[in-house]
Amino acid sequence: MSTSESRLTTTAGAAGTSSMTLRPQAGTPLSRFLSDGWVTTWRNLMKIIRVPEILLFSLIQPIMFVLLFTYVFGAAIDIPGDGYTSFLMAGIFAQTVVFGSTYSGSAMAQDLKDGIIDRFRTLPMSGAAVLVGRTNGDLVINALSVLVMMGTGLLVGWRVNSSFLEFLAGVALLLLFAYAFSWVMAFLGMSVKSPEIINNASFLILFPLTFISNAFVPSENLPTPLRIFAEWNPVSALVQSARELFGNVPPGTPVGDAWPAQNPIATVIIGVVVLLAVFVPLSIRKFATLSR
């Protein structure tokens, strides 16, 4: 059977892995790419099913943040309007999906270390499909995390004060940003030598992005250098977009004079397009160099 006449399929294997077989391939290059992408996506979803601790700890963390910030810090931070819980939830959503995207990086680094990528190299499949499957798996985890956070938020008093379409747009924007950031982390995961390095490196990047922002306090409350950083921080734009689309913007709260602060939804959309345009080709090229 020639390489051009074969395709990839997957069957159940050991925990966290999939056994790959070949069968005759037909269809257009696009259909074959979509098929390979679905197979690798399913492989990553099956890994979550076989190792449920991955999903369990991904869901526990946002619950802890909601409860911690609501009941520990909520009384100390004065927010007008509906109170700190409504202000907080968009920040928790943004923080969770951004940190959740790091799994793409650590999983790619782990697959490289374990030799899984070497197995993929021997198969007549698109290298881009491996990356698509990896980032799609993160998207599912992030979507489940958002659902769990919303349920927890409703229990502690959070409410959506906008239309249903605006609510859906807010959720879609959060997941779209997380998906784009997953490609950044996937590229980093292929650029380091061990999963431990990507975990430490991503923490150094994401910690200031999420905490030096308007996620937990209004940016106007920060010292001037940090306030300027927060106003231009893409995570701040994501948080403000979610607040606007969920109807959780506190009345009278200043948002800053910087263009991203005044146009958060446009900033997020532009940022997503830029991240995908830059890191999708970079990641595919990096995967190709690993295959040499």
Side-chain angles (χ1 to χ4, degrees):
M1 184 186 306
S2 67
T3 296
S4 61
E5 295 174 344
S6 304
R7 65 166 295 175
L8 171 69
T9 90
T10 184
T11 57
T17 65
S18 298
S19 59
M20 302 296 175
T21 59
L22 300 177
R23 67 183 183 186
Q25 185 176 25
T28 65
L30 176 60
S31 67
R32 293 195 296 269
F33 167 76
L34 294 175
S35 177
D36 290 346
W38 165 247
V39 169
T40 54
T41 299
W42 182 248
R43 177 246 177 191
N44 293 315
L45 295 179
M46 289 301 296
K47 183 175 181 179
I48 296 172
I49 294 173
R50 294 171 185 146
V51 189
E53 291 84 359
I54 295 174
L55 183 61
L56 177 64
F57 288 107
S58 297
L59 299 181
I60 288 177
Q61 179 177 319
I63 294 175
M64 290 178 59
F65 272 112
V66 170
L67 298 178
L68 175 68
F69 278 90
T70 298
Y71 293 112
V72 176
F73 299 118
I77 301 176
D78 184 25
I79 299 294
D82 294 334
Y84 187 62
T85 299
S86 293
F87 177 86
L88 166 72
M89 288 307 300
I92 295 291
F93 293 150
Q95 182 199 49
T96 300
V97 298
V98 169
F99 272 94
S101 66
T102 61
Y103 186 62
S104 281
S106 59
M108 285 299 298
Q110 189 66 50
D111 283 349
L112 281 169
K113 181 180 179 181
D114 294 341
I116 302 298
I117 299 301
D118 291 333
R119 295 179 62 193
F120 288 147
R121 294 172 186 167
T122 65
L123 300 173
M125 62 182 295
S126 168
V130 176
L131 298 168
V132 168
R134 178 67 273 155
T135 53
N136 284 349
D138 271 10
L139 184 62
V140 172
I141 293 177
N142 275 321
L144 292 174
S145 296
V146 169
L147 286 176
V148 170
M149 281 187 295
M150 287 182 173
T152 307
L154 291 173
L155 291 176
V156 298
W158 172 71
R159 296 293 182 269
V160 176
N161 300 311
S162 60
S163 68
F164 182 67
L165 290 179
E166 288 175 318
F167 166 75
L168 290 181
V171 174
L173 206 62
L174 287 165
L175 296 179
L176 188 61
F177 186 88
Y179 181 74
F181 218 85
S182 291
W183 283 91
V184 180
M185 293 295 107
F187 176 76
L188 291 178
M190 292 184 289
S191 303
V192 300
K193 296 182 178 180
S194 74
E196 292 78 13
I197 295 176
I198 186 63
N199 290 333
N200 293 333
S202 60
F203 181 81
L204 292 176
I205 296 171
L206 298 181
F207 189 85
L209 281 177
T210 53
F211 283 94
I212 308 178
S213 69
N214 62 355
F216 305 112
V217 296
S219 57
E220 292 296 318
N221 293 4
L222 300 173
T224 300
L226 298 183
R227 176 180 57 78
I228 295 173
F229 178 88
E231 290 179 354
W232 287 90
N233 184 347
V235 174
S236 291
L238 180 64
V239 172
Q240 188 62 25
S241 298
R243 287 192 181 121
E244 291 183 1
L245 291 170
F246 295 155
N248 296 149
V249 178
T253 301
V255 296
D257 297 326
W259 193 89
Q262 294 292 326
N263 304 274
I265 297 176
T267 300
V268 173
I269 293 174
I270 292 171
V272 166
V273 171
V274 170
L275 288 177
L276 291 175
V278 172
F279 283 96
V280 170
L282 280 178
S283 298
I284 294 173
R285 187 178 305 171
K286 184 67 176 179
F287 188 90
T289 60
L290 293 174
S291 302
R292 292 175 183 172

